[in-house]
Amino acid sequence: MLSLLNISKSFHHRGLVLDHLELNVNEGDTVSISGPSGSGKTTLLNLIGLLDRPDSGEILFKGEPVLHYDSTESAVYRSRNIGFVFQDHLLLPHLTVYENIILPLLSRRLSSEEYSEREKHTLELMEKVDIVTLSEKFPENISGGEAQRVALVRALVNKPSILLADEPTGSLDKKNAEILGDLLLQMNQLYGISVILATHSSGLADRMLQKYNLENGRLYPV
C-alpha cells in the first residue's frame, strides 16, 4: 500500500538525516520506528504525510506516486488517507471535545448523507475508546490520557488508510501509555488501518508487527 523508495533528506542545520531509506507497508500492517532523538523519525512521518518533501526518492501510495502533488492535492491526500496523532494532543482549547473531534470532517466536502455516516462512525469510535461522556467538556477539564484518546478518535474520523503516530505515549504515565497502545492495536484490528509509529518506548514498539531502528538515515529490522 505504501512504498518509500530511495528517500534522502537533509537540513542545513542537521546535515543528512535520511539516506536512501526504503520502507514498504502493507494494508493492515503495524510498524514501529525507534531510534534516538534527532535520528529522523518525525521527519520520516512528515514525509509520509506530505507535510515535507524529500530531497530525492519517491513515495508511492497504492502504486501511485504522490510527491508531484501540489499543496491542494497534498491536503486532499492527507484528509482522505492519513490520520495523525502527536505526542502533544494539539486540541483546540476553545472547542469542546466533540467539536475538536469532528473538526477534520469540516475540511471535507461531504454530502449530508456522507456527513451523517461519519458522525455515526465518530460516535462508534468514541464509544470504543470510552470518551462519550467527555463530549461537552473542554480540553482543560480532561486528563492527559483522555486528551490522547480524543486525539486518536479525531485522527480516525475520516477513515484513513494510515495512522501516523509520533511518540503518542511520550507524555503519558505507564497506565495510560498501555491503554493507548491497546487502543492503537484495537483500531488496527477493527478497521484494518495501517499504523506507523515513532516511539522511544520499547514496550510499545514490541507490540507492532514490523519493528525497525532508524540509524544513520536508514531503517534496520529488529
Side-chain angles (χ1 to χ4, degrees), residues 29-206:
D29 277 353
T30 56
V31 179
S32 68
I33 300 169
S34 301
S37 297
S39 60
K41 301 186 298 297
T42 296
T43 297
L44 178 55
L45 296 188
N46 287 343
L47 294 179
I48 294 171
L50 297 189
L51 295 173
D52 199 357
R53 303 296 168 114
D55 300 327
S56 60
E58 185 58 88
I59 297 176
L60 305 179
F61 178 73
K62 296 184 177 180
E64 179 183 350
V66 298
L67 290 179
H68 68 280
Y69 288 171
D70 62 23
S71 58
T72 300
E73 291 169 327
S74 296
V76 171
Y77 161 80
R78 282 191 294 272
S79 67
R80 292 182 177 176
N81 303 300
I82 307 292
F84 293 92
V85 178
F86 302 97
Q87 179 174 346
D88 296 318
H89 51 73
L90 303 179
L91 302 180
L92 297 179
H94 60 283
L95 298 180
T96 66
V97 162
Y98 184 75
E99 289 168 341
N100 268 284
I101 287 172
I102 65 168
L103 203 56
L105 297 180
L106 305 181
S107 66
R108 298 283 301 274
R109 294 183 177 179
L110 301 173
S111 67
S112 57
E113 182 177 342
E114 288 173 323
Y115 188 83
S116 177
E117 188 276 331
R118 292 298 167 86
E119 280 193 312
K120 182 179 178 181
H121 177 62
T122 298
L123 182 59
E124 178 184 279
L125 289 170
M126 294 177 71
E127 289 174 342
K128 289 188 181 301
V129 305
D130 194 25
I131 58 170
V132 173
T133 58
L134 306 179
S135 294
E136 299 305 315
K137 291 188 176 183
F138 288 90
E140 66 179 2
N141 302 126
I142 64 178
S143 70
E146 290 168 338
Q148 277 297 67
R149 281 184 272 160
V150 172
L152 175 60
V153 172
R154 180 182 58 187
L156 298 177
V157 293
N158 271 324
K159 296 186 173 181
S161 301
I162 300 172
L163 178 67
L164 301 177
D166 191 2
E167 298 289 357
T169 62
S171 61
L172 302 179
D173 59 31
K174 182 177 180 180
K175 178 181 178 181
N176 280 300
E178 290 177 353
I179 290 171
L180 189 69
D182 291 341
L183 291 174
L184 288 170
L185 292 175
Q186 183 183 12
M187 297 300 104
N188 163 259
Q189 293 160 5
L190 284 174
Y191 302 108
I193 298 167
S194 299
V195 176
I196 306 174
L197 63 86
T199 183
H200 281 103
S201 168
S202 58
L204 181 59
D206 286 343

Side-chain angles (χ1 to χ4, degrees), residues 5-48:
L5 308 174
N6 209 27
I7 294 293
S8 293
K9 178 68 176 179
S10 61
F11 298 93
H12 291 302
H13 61 293
R14 293 171 60 189
L16 187 64
V17 175
L18 303 179
D19 182 18
H20 298 90
L21 179 145
E22 303 273 334
L23 176 65
N24 289 291
V25 180
N26 295 316
E27 185 174 351
D29 277 353
T30 56
V31 179
S32 68
I33 300 169
S34 301
S37 297
S39 60
K41 301 186 298 297
T42 296
T43 297
L44 178 55
L45 296 188
N46 287 343
L47 294 179
I48 294 171

